[in-house]
Amino acid sequence: PPRNFSGRRPSGPLSGMDDLEGLYTRHHADVRRFALFLTGDPARADDLAAETFIRAWTARDRIATASVRGYLL
């Protein structure tokens, strides 16, 4: 079973927020696609997508939505 960085198994609706690599793997393509739609510039879209994941990871304990994807997009 998957484990997070603390060695515990993820649980609950935001379990994906316990595993940055898994979060990135599952959602990066959608986040970057949306960022590209917003900016029209691939380099800026890459920066915006990276910033989105950094902010989500930093705020993971405060995210109150049941949908991680909804928060990211």
Side-chain angles (χ1 to χ4, degrees), residues 31-54:
V31 171
R32 187 182 183 279
R33 187 176 309 111
F34 186 59
L36 184 58
F37 169 77
L38 292 175
T39 65
D41 177 352
R44 289 183 67 200
D46 289 338
D47 290 344
L48 184 57
E51 182 67 24
T52 298
F53 284 98
I54 291 168

Side-chain angles (χ1 to χ4, degrees), residues 20 23 47-60 72:
L20 180 58
L23 177 73
D47 290 344
L48 184 57
E51 182 67 24
T52 298
F53 284 98
I54 291 168
R55 288 180 183 224
W57 186 250
T58 302
R60 68 189 178 278
L72 293 171

